[in-house]
Amino acid sequence: MSKFTTFTTIFLIFMMAVACACAYPLTQNDNNVENALDYIKTCQKDDGGFGESDRGSNPATSTWAIMAIVSAGQDPKDWKKNGTSAIDYLYSISDETYSIDGTTETAKMIMTITAAGYDPENFAGNNFITLLSGKKKENGQFGDHIYTTSWAVTALSANGIDASDSIKWLKSVQNEDGGFGWTKGAESDCDDTSSTLMALIAGGEPQDSESVQKAISFLKISQKENGGFNYGGSSEANSASDSWAIQAIVAAGENPESWTTKSGNNPVSHLLSLQADKGYFKWTDYLEDNKCRMSTNAIPALMGKPYPVMKNQKTDSLKNTVTSKTPDNSNQKETLKPENTVKSDSSSADSANQDIEYHVEITDDMGYTTEISKIPERIISLAPSNTEILYAIGAGDRVVGVTDYCNYPKEAQSKEKAGGFSSVNIEKVVSLKPDLVVAAYGNTEDVVNHLKDLGMSVITLNPTDLDSVLSDITLLGKATGNVKEAGELVSSLSKRIENVKSIAEQDECTPEVAHIVWYDPIWISGKNTFQDELIKTSNGNNAFGDMDSWVIVSMEDFITKNPDVLIVNSGSGMDQNSRDCIYEYIMNEPRFKNIKAVKEGRVYIADSDTIDRGGPRIVDALEEVAADIHPEMFENTNTKTETINSQTTPVYPVVAIVSVILSVFMTGFIRRRKD
């Protein structure tokens, strides 16, 4: 054999090996999958469950991890930490999951039990099939929303239970653009479209049906030029959305690698680009958030296993499609070289600011000091609370960019969007050429540091109580040159706070009060939250003050507490939806009819944006809460404000309402739509 022939043979073998390594779907022996599994092993805790490196076991992360393990052809019973297996952990959370009584929590428990090869009708003495089936309405809907129904359909279909009426309901709420939102009438997003598409096919909907093809078309239109998918709005493509979209594409019988953009990218290549050397998957290019959870999502996607994941699940033959679309330049990567000093659009106000000598040092809430050498003319706000402060102190005319959730005041809605709260669009921020970025703790340290590395002046706020809100107003006044306006605002707000205290403390009665953030399952505000402080400042006692931050409580625990007063968020809990979902649930749930607050008509709706944000309107919320707790004390005062009708906030996928819950609240809480 000649040297040339030998070389050619070796080269061909090498190229075949490379082709096999890159072919979709990946196998359990592929390095990308093995490395991800190795990282997930480091996430396993002593109780057998899984959680992020700095936290304990998390039920949601653990169920996703078990399904990822099964998708890779392994047995979660063999995954042990100190002799305790992942299945042991699943048994240990069975009773708690059952008592929580959440629609998606129950559905995902069924999916996990089924994937692991156990019986969800008799798991640790609990019948999860019966529990979930009891949530079905006459029209086939489960719970109140699209996402609750889609996960229920996926779970029940995995157990051979007919879901045809639920499939019919899901098809009836499909948007005209082919996508699905988190609830009926909500804007379509990639996450809910992907999860619903998987549910439709799991429930028996043909791949070539009109509904499936319309959903696929929506995903094609939504795909970013880098090949990936985002969850909505102006946020960046992320690994979680990539994973679900890939699984949905596979469920529809198509090969996601063939979804190639003009720049040569596809969903699989984008997802793999987010895998770090240590094996875990990043949330976005710049954000390493919930690394274990992101990795558990990625593995089934790379393995070509849509939900519901099953033992010995096979991937059917996938057809290649030709994707031809005009490049979305807003998502193309570019060399990020922001100018350190950028002149704003010409205006008399800007010109005047340029002529003013100004030099201050600002120490932000994270302890970092930033020098500001001139009055900022182009400001980007990366949190709704920051935006409200900037407008309240008179700096709104210099704001050039905000997040998708910055809806107040109305003028903020016309500003350029720079991504979500926890998914900042770095390229968009750079393109807006800010000379000051006002970030929030919830934007994550990774993003803040990356912006600083790009040469931007960044101030990070993290108000945790009323006093720190006032301090942040003062701080931003100093940073923007609006010291006088900020001082006047702080003085006014301080007087209003003291006025509430002086009136409320005159009432000798201290009612038991609960604040409800969400209802399926029930999320309440515990200690170390703004809502807890509002209740206490109003001379009330938080019925769940023994719990920390925002947590899920079981139906039994909630009924046992028997609060005197219930305060529930308006709209869907995070926006001004036309329906007050939480209020309707509380008033219509038969098991709540004997709760004191319900019987005595003391269930109040609080404007969700006002009570959740660490900005100036938190004092409006305080006045509302105080008047709700002590109506007779505030009856003849001007303290109680009218309910403020905030502008509609876009609410994207609720497969992450918790992440939205947490991201909205993050200005005072360590870190996403329901897990």
Side-chain angles (χ1 to χ4, degrees):
M1 183 179 294
S2 68
K3 290 183 179 180
F4 176 80
T5 303
T6 301
F7 174 81
T8 302
T9 302
I10 293 173
F11 178 77
L12 288 174
I13 292 173
F14 171 77
M15 291 304 293
M16 288 174 65
V18 171
C20 291
C22 296
Y24 185 85
L26 279 63
T27 70
Q28 62 191 76
N29 298 320
D30 183 271
N31 285 337
N32 298 96
V33 175
E34 288 185 342
N35 292 340
L37 287 170
D38 287 342
Y39 180 79
I40 292 175
K41 286 179 181 177
T42 70
C43 300
Q44 191 169 21
K45 310 300 178 180
D46 290 342
D47 58 5
F50 298 83
E52 303 303 328
S53 60
D54 56 343
R55 308 168 210 170
S57 293
N58 176 276
T61 300
S62 299
T63 51
W64 292 119
I66 290 172
M67 286 188 277
I69 292 166
V70 173
S71 75
Q74 299 188 22
D75 191 338
K77 186 172 60 177
D78 297 331
W79 279 53
K80 297 180 179 180
K81 183 72 176 291
N82 293 336
T84 306
S85 74
I87 297 302
D88 292 330
Y89 176 80
L90 196 62
Y91 271 101
S92 74
I93 64 170
S94 179
D95 288 346
E96 179 186 1
T97 304
Y98 193 91
S99 66
I100 284 173
D101 199 27
T103 305
T104 54
E105 286 70 20
T106 303
K108 290 173 190 176
M109 189 68 170
I110 291 173
M111 290 166 57
T112 307
I113 294 169
T114 305
Y118 295 86
D119 182 7
E121 288 188 293
N122 184 18
F123 188 78
N126 293 312
N127 190 330
F128 287 97
I129 295 292
T130 299
L131 180 64
L132 182 59
S133 298
K135 298 178 180 296
K136 185 177 179 180
K137 299 181 179 181
E138 291 184 2
N139 62 0
Q141 181 182 4
F142 285 84
D144 291 336
H145 310 291
I146 293 174
Y147 80 95
T148 50
T149 304
S150 63
W151 288 113
V153 167
T154 302
L156 296 177
S157 297
N159 287 274
I161 298 173
D162 178 56
S164 55
D165 53 348
S166 300
I167 295 293
K168 182 178 180 180
W169 183 83
L170 285 172
K171 291 165 63 176
S172 74
V173 295
Q174 188 169 19
N175 290 332
E176 290 186 6
D177 60 10
F180 292 86
W182 71 277
T183 196
K184 182 179 179 180
E187 180 180 347
S188 298
D189 64 77
C190 295
D191 284 12
D192 287 292
T193 299
S194 297
S195 59
T196 304
L197 184 50
M198 285 187 274
L200 289 173
I201 294 171
E205 185 72 7
Q207 293 175 336
D208 60 355
S209 73
E210 181 182 4
S211 182
V212 169
Q213 291 306 307
K214 284 174 63 179
I216 282 291
S217 295
F218 172 81
L219 289 177
K220 286 181 178 177
I221 293 171
S222 302
Q223 186 181 12
K224 302 301 178 183
E225 186 57 29
N226 59 17
F229 296 85
N230 71 352
Y231 66 72
S234 60
S235 62
E236 287 197 11
N238 66 81
S239 60
S241 298
D242 283 357
S243 297
W244 284 10
I246 289 170
Q247 290 172 286
I249 293 167
V250 171
E254 297 192 12
N255 187 343
E257 273 198 324
S258 69
W259 281 40
T260 305
T261 64
K262 292 290 187 180
S263 56
N265 300 307
N266 65 68
V268 178
S269 66
H270 183 260
L271 178 58
L272 288 173
S273 75
L274 297 176
Q275 187 171 25
D277 292 340
K278 293 183 178 180
Y280 62 81
F281 283 80
K282 299 181 289 184
W283 169 250
T284 67
D285 282 334
Y286 312 108
L287 179 55
E288 297 186 350
D289 188 43
N290 292 328
K291 295 180 285 190
C292 182
R293 170 63 187 279
M294 296 305 108
S295 302
T296 65
N297 285 160
I299 290 174
L302 294 174
M303 296 288 296
K305 306 290 179 64
Y307 294 118
V309 168
M310 306 288 283
K311 275 193 172 183
N312 303 316
Q313 182 179 358
K314 302 295 183 183
T315 302
D316 295 332
S317 178
L318 303 175
K319 64 181 180 181
N320 293 322
T321 60
V322 179
T323 303
S324 178
K325 41 184 279 186
T326 303
D328 177 2
N329 295 324
S330 66
N331 270 276
Q332 287 184 317
K333 294 294 179 187
E334 57 181 288
T335 303
L336 305 181
K337 296 180 180 179
E339 302 174 38
N340 290 327
T341 303
V342 183
K343 291 187 177 182
S344 63
D345 299 332
S346 59
S347 70
S348 58
D350 290 343
S351 298
N353 286 336
Q354 291 176 19
D355 295 335
I356 298 175
E357 291 188 10
Y358 196 77
H359 187 276
V360 294
E361 287 189 353
I362 302 294
T363 301
D364 64 20
D365 289 349
M366 307 312 295
Y368 295 107
T369 299
T370 300
E371 291 189 10
I372 297 177
S373 57
K374 71 179 186 68
I375 293 178
E377 300 163 10
R378 298 183 63 83
I379 304 170
I380 290 180
S381 167
L382 298 181
S385 54
N386 296 350
T387 301
E388 295 196 19
I389 293 175
L390 288 166
Y391 274 89
I393 63 175
D397 59 335
R398 286 177 278 150
V399 173
V400 296
V402 297
T403 73
D404 295 325
Y405 302 103
C406 294
N407 62 326
Y408 187 89
K410 185 177 180 179
E411 292 77 11
Q413 295 181 60
S414 62
K415 300 294 183 178
E416 292 282 345
K417 301 299 184 291
F421 185 81
S422 58
S423 53
V424 177
N425 189 320
I426 301 292
E427 283 76 17
K428 186 64 176 179
V429 172
V430 171
S431 72
L432 292 174
K433 300 180 179 180
D435 47 18
L436 177 64
V437 177
V438 186
Y441 182 84
N443 299 142
T444 75
E445 191 173 4
D446 290 336
V447 168
V448 169
N449 287 340
H450 188 71
L451 293 174
K452 289 181 177 179
D453 290 343
L454 291 172
M456 299 185 192
S457 295
V458 184
I459 295 173
T460 305
L461 305 185
N462 184 36
T464 56
D465 52 29
L466 292 171
D467 285 342
S468 55
V469 170
L470 300 180
S471 296
D472 282 347
I473 293 172
T474 300
L475 184 150
L476 278 189
K478 183 179 179 182
T480 60
N482 293 63
V483 176
K484 180 176 179 293
E485 295 89 336
E488 292 173 348
L489 178 59
V490 167
S491 177
S492 172
L493 295 175
S494 298
K495 289 177 182 178
R496 290 168 61 190
I497 293 171
E498 290 304 315
N499 187 44
V500 168
K501 289 181 180 179
S502 64
I503 296 175
E505 66 186 12
Q506 295 175 33
D507 194 336
E508 296 180 358
C509 176
T510 305
E512 293 290 315
V513 184
H515 174 251
I516 305 177
V517 182
W518 185 246
Y519 69 96
D520 186 10
I522 300 172
W523 281 73
I524 56 84
S525 298
K527 61 184 176 182
N528 299 320
T529 63
F530 278 121
Q531 294 80 12
D532 178 65
E533 185 181 17
L534 299 186
I535 291 170
K536 291 178 178 177
T537 303
S538 301
N539 191 23
N541 183 57
N542 188 348
F544 293 94
D546 56 335
M547 298 183 174
D548 194 37
S549 66
W550 295 276
V551 293
I552 295 174
V553 296
S554 69
M555 184 73 68
E556 181 182 358
D557 287 344
F558 186 78
I559 294 172
T560 300
K561 288 290 185 180
N562 194 24
D564 300 306
V565 177
L566 287 176
I567 298 173
V568 303
N569 275 18
S570 62
S572 69
M574 286 127 331
D575 73 334
Q576 297 307 309
N577 192 293
S578 59
R579 289 178 52 220
D580 288 311
C581 303
I582 306 173
Y583 178 80
E584 290 179 6
Y585 170 75
I586 295 296
M587 301 306 293
N588 295 325
E589 171 55 60
R591 289 170 288 185
F592 291 166
K593 65 181 180 180
N594 290 321
I595 290 179
K596 189 179 297 184
V598 176
K599 286 198 301 183
E600 298 180 1
R602 302 205 64 189
V603 181
Y604 303 99
I605 301 172
D607 180 82
S608 55
D609 290 343
T610 308
I611 199 171
D612 293 342
R613 296 178 180 175
R617 291 194 297 160
I618 195 70
V619 179
D620 294 351
L622 172 64
E623 293 170 340
E624 288 188 41
V625 168
D628 290 338
I629 296 175
H630 304 284
E632 68 287 347
M633 303 302 297
F634 291 88
E635 194 172 38
N636 298 316
T637 71
N638 293 322
T639 302
K640 185 172 182 179
T641 61
E642 294 182 1
T643 300
I644 299 173
N645 293 317
S646 303
Q647 305 300 319
T648 301
T649 305
V651 175
Y652 302 109
V654 182
V655 171
I657 265 172
V658 166
S659 331
V660 173
I661 288 176
L662 295 187
S663 64
V664 170
F665 296 156
M666 192 60 73
T667 49
F669 179 55
I670 285 185
R671 209 165 136 117
R672 193 168 147 350
R673 202 179 113 189
K674 292 260 188 282
D675 267 319

